[in-house]
Amino acid sequence: MWMVSPPVDEGSPQLWDRGTGRLSPIGVFQPPQKLFLSAGRGRALEFVRKNAANGLSVANLVAGLSSVLCSLNRQYQHSCWLLLVGFLLDLADGAVARQLDACSALGAKLDDFADFTTFGLATALLLQPHGVLDGLLAVAYALAVFARLCFFSSGIPFTYRGLPCPYASSLLAGTFLLTGGDVTVLRVTAAVMGVFMLDRGSYPHDKVLESQLWKKVVYAGGVVTVLFSPAAVASVYCVAWSTSYIVFPFAVWSCKSPPSPPPNAQ
């Protein structure tokens, strides 16, 4: 029995498929399912690109809130570990945003809010404020972080004014773990860090993940020690890392020399 294919318009984008017995699209025309899947995949990838850094900031915020809850329940060692995780997340979110060209006003606000929660409120509660004087110290520390976040811009490229609060928080968390929770040492260190944050001295914008290879190695070492090493190793590593940035900011953590003050007007 002879099979006759239906006539097909030469200008039509369809041809007769002998296997299915139906007209099928050809050329650039694709089935609707493939079009939808392709468009959906593209939107998903674009959403991930725009919000990867925001996701790290949200993770930092969650770490800070979890640290607050741990401190309220007197689980101070857990609180310290969460502060160190927040420290690593904060160093990564800005680098990811710049690498993916996804910097935004929303991301900047989210980063500041996460930083104040983790390095301000959560770190202040690590001081265990049980009395009036202890409470005043905790409030003063949180206010120092607040002021540091509000006035960090120096007007000089790649330079901060005042000690960046993540390094102060990392030093306090490492000190707590290293001393076994010596509150007196922790409070003295917090008072000194508050002065450093309000001093408006110059500190480099080190961009650890976008700078020399050895800085990336230092960051990778921090991830390994915080996530997989014993408390003694992680605390020594983070204390040494933060102290080197605080004491030798330009000599170690920047290829640029510290900016010279402008000459006095005559």
Side-chain angles (χ1 to χ4, degrees):
M1 185 174 181
W2 294 94
M3 299 292 295
V4 180
S5 299
V8 178
D9 185 3
E10 293 183 356
S12 171
Q14 295 179 327
L15 286 179
W16 181 261
D17 189 338
R18 295 180 181 274
T20 61
R22 295 179 299 179
L23 292 174
S24 61
I26 62 172
V28 297
F29 293 89
Q30 299 294 331
Q33 296 88 345
K34 290 185 178 180
L35 289 176
F36 289 137
L37 288 175
S38 178
R41 189 181 301 111
R43 287 194 296 268
L45 291 176
E46 182 65 12
F47 177 83
V48 171
R49 183 188 71 82
K50 290 184 176 180
N51 293 280
N54 292 343
L56 293 175
S57 295
V58 171
N60 182 16
L61 175 62
V62 171
L65 292 174
S66 301
S67 178
V68 169
L69 292 177
C70 288
S71 293
L72 292 178
N73 288 285
R74 300 180 183 276
Q75 299 174 335
Y76 295 108
Q77 285 198 348
H78 295 354
S79 179
C80 289
W81 287 111
L82 289 166
L83 291 177
L84 295 179
V85 170
F87 170 67
L88 296 174
L89 290 171
D90 183 69
L91 291 181
D93 59 5
V96 170
R98 287 185 289 271
Q99 287 295 320
L100 298 179
D101 191 23
C103 300
S104 65
L106 173 62
K109 292 180 180 179
L110 183 60
D111 181 63
D112 284 344
F113 187 76
D115 286 353
F116 180 70
T117 301
T118 303
F119 309 125
L121 295 178
T123 306
L125 288 177
L126 193 64
L127 303 177
Q128 306 178 34
H130 300 310
V132 176
L133 293 178
D134 302 339
L136 289 176
L137 177 60
V139 171
Y141 185 87
L143 289 177
V145 173
F146 177 78
R148 170 63 184 76
L149 291 172
C150 288
F151 306 107
F152 75 93
S153 180
S154 65
I156 304 173
F158 310 112
T159 305
Y160 290 128
R161 287 293 188 192
L163 175 66
C165 52
Y167 287 94
S169 180
S170 172
L171 179 63
L172 289 174
T175 300
F176 188 97
L177 293 173
L178 190 61
T179 61
D182 191 318
V183 182
T184 302
V185 174
L186 190 69
R187 290 170 181 169
V188 171
T189 306
V192 174
M193 292 299 99
V195 173
F196 273 62
M197 285 187 285
L198 296 175
D199 181 57
R200 320 313 297 161
S202 297
Y203 290 87
H205 192 320
D206 52 308
K207 295 185 178 181
V208 174
L209 295 179
E210 303 165 89
S211 189
Q212 297 100 320
L213 177 61
W214 71 268
K215 294 183 182 179
K216 299 176 183 179
V217 173
V218 170
Y219 181 87
V223 173
V224 172
T225 55
V226 169
L227 297 182
F228 305 107
S229 299
V233 176
S235 58
V236 170
Y237 191 94
C238 291
V239 167
W241 181 1
S242 301
T243 302
S244 68
Y245 181 85
I246 296 169
V247 179
F248 308 106
F250 286 95
V252 176
W253 289 95
S254 177
C255 295
K256 303 177 182 296
S257 59
S260 57
N264 294 329
Q266 298 295 331

